[in-house]
Amino acid sequence: MLASLRYLAGTAGPSGFGSRATADEVVSSAAGQGDGGDLGHITAIVTGATSGIGAETARALARRGARLVVPARSLKAAHEARARLLDGGPSDPGRIVVLPGLDLSSLASVRRFASRFLALGLPLNLLINNAGQFVERLGLTEDGAETTFATNYLGHFLLTRLLLPKMADTARDTGVQGRVVNVSSTVHAWFSSSSGTGDDDEDDGPIIGYLNRLTSKQTPYDATRAYALSKLANVLHTRALADRLREMDVNVTANCVHPGIVRTRLIRDRAGIITNTVFFLASKLLKTVPQAAATTCYAAVHPAVAGVSGKYFADCNEASPSRLASSGEEASRLWSFSEGITAKEKENESVLVTSFRFQVQNSNADRGMAVA
């Protein structure tokens, strides 16, 4: 009850921020406490940066000088996002790099994207796994995974694994701590150990057991439950990743965030009389997009989060995830399951590293930027 009242009032928590803080406020505070008063020393990848919370997160970071790498499924979307970021953003257009062709539902696409990014020779301080999708009907990807799970979690799991060595090297070479931020949701708590139907195999556990029944069509597809499961997986990924980062003794942390409820495109795409009415009645409880991006920015760049790893944040303050999301056993089980799915030999790339670098330089140079 107290937390709800604090949310409604926008009362600041221990961090100094609350539910009404905006991304600009958080980033300005973080930059003001850093050397030089800006984020020029940061190179970040933000998935889902072409719209919604991801776009606002990228804008707030770019406005303070961070170099942004913008992935997108299409070249058009990537360049439109770049144009928006340059409007009122960095004076140097070379600080915004577009890399089209990332489809998180395809493991092959994730591998290609990671190879293309690494070919550019850029450092990497910050990886924000933000992109998300709500799928109405059961679908299986080319890798045999349920589409929501693949897009919201599995693609990000592989992307993080492929880019982690670069993040560790960057942190070692620059002395700047690397950060991985997974964007989850309070909806993760809607999936519990009793969410599935039928008995779970003891070795599988509730998540993998449910996924197995879902992909084999032994249980009816529930879009909301599938979405909740994917967001639960984001929290568990964070916990397991933080443990492994400590074991590796690298200067990289991992945290996850609940941005808050906001009417982004993900929800607008499901608009109808009922949805519109609910959001009209609840409008005073919703966050604006700038407010929703605040917690992501807090976990990404604020000095107060330095050295903090494996935590869950809401309204720019540390919070408690669900009981299942706090299970070390379930986190370990999901990690092993995910490694098994993604542990394929890296496929041959049709574009040579030097050829791809030349193509990206020319594409961006046409729009007034150079890849540095």
Side-chain angles (χ1 to χ4, degrees), residues 40-335:
H41 60 295
I42 295 293
T43 297
I45 293 176
V46 183
T47 68
T50 58
S51 66
I53 297 171
E56 178 63 15
T57 299
R59 187 199 64 78
L61 297 175
R63 187 169 176 266
R64 282 289 176 168
R67 179 196 279 129
L68 263 295
V69 177
V70 182
R73 293 185 67 171
S74 73
L75 184 64
K76 181 175 182 291
H79 283 301
E80 287 175 350
R82 180 172 179 270
R84 290 192 296 271
L85 289 171
L86 288 174
D87 184 13
S91 57
D92 178 9
R95 303 293 288 176
I96 308 297
V97 181
V98 297
L99 279 183
L102 174 62
D103 178 356
L104 286 161
S105 70
S106 165
L107 298 180
S109 176
V110 172
R111 290 189 182 92
R112 286 193 294 269
F113 173 85
S115 294
R116 291 166 179 173
F117 170 76
L118 294 173
L120 298 179
L122 296 175
L124 182 59
N125 308 95
L126 176 60
L127 173 61
I128 300 180
N129 293 320
N130 164 84
Q133 185 178 20
F134 187 102
V135 181
E136 294 278 4
R137 294 179 178 81
L138 175 64
L140 301 182
T141 69
E142 61 192 31
D143 304 292
E146 189 274 317
T147 305
T148 303
F149 178 80
T151 305
N152 298 355
Y153 162 71
L154 195 60
H156 284 128
F157 173 90
L158 177 60
L159 182 65
T160 303
R161 184 167 67 82
L162 295 174
L163 297 181
L164 194 55
K166 168 59 71 174
M167 296 190 72
D169 288 346
T170 299
R172 184 192 64 241
D173 295 341
T174 64
V176 177
Q177 187 172 74
R179 299 188 188 186
V180 178
V181 179
N182 291 328
V183 178
S184 181
S185 169
T186 190
V187 173
H188 81 269
W190 295 3
F191 188 96
S192 66
S193 57
S194 59
S195 288
T197 56
D199 295 326
D200 292 314
D201 186 293
E202 260 186 43
D203 294 331
D204 286 342
I207 294 178
I208 299 169
Y210 180 73
L211 283 170
N212 286 338
R213 292 194 302 276
L214 198 60
T215 54
S216 62
K217 300 182 179 179
Q218 295 178 27
T219 192
Y221 181 74
D222 182 317
T224 300
R225 182 170 292 164
Y227 183 77
L229 182 148
S230 72
K231 291 303 175 180
L232 171 61
N234 293 148
V235 184
L236 291 168
H237 175 216
T238 303
R239 180 188 174 101
L241 177 60
D243 288 343
R244 280 155 180 79
L245 291 171
R246 283 189 284 268
E247 292 170 2
M248 293 166 62
D249 194 26
V250 294
N251 192 21
V252 181
T253 63
N255 292 292
C256 63
V257 303
H258 163 51
I261 306 300
V262 58
R263 199 175 186 194
T264 62
R265 191 180 68 181
L266 185 150
I267 293 174
R268 289 197 303 271
D269 287 346
R270 307 181 68 235
I273 294 176
I274 295 177
T275 302
N276 289 338
T277 301
V278 168
F279 275 89
F280 173 76
L281 295 174
S283 59
K284 297 302 181 183
L285 304 178
L286 300 180
K287 287 188 175 185
T288 64
V289 171
Q291 289 169 347
T295 306
T296 302
C297 290
Y298 180 75
V301 298
H302 204 280
V305 191
V308 176
S309 195
K311 302 300 182 180
Y312 175 78
F313 290 86
D315 299 331
C316 299
N317 288 276
E318 189 175 331
S320 298
S322 71
R323 181 177 178 180
L324 186 57
S326 302
S327 169
E329 181 182 4
E330 196 63 25
S332 179
R333 183 183 285 125
L334 179 63
W335 182 280

Side-chain angles (χ1 to χ4, degrees), residues 2-3 5-21 315 317:
L2 183 60
L5 291 175
R6 189 182 297 120
Y7 171 84
L8 292 172
T11 304
S15 69
F17 299 102
S19 62
R20 301 310 174 197
D315 299 331
N317 288 276

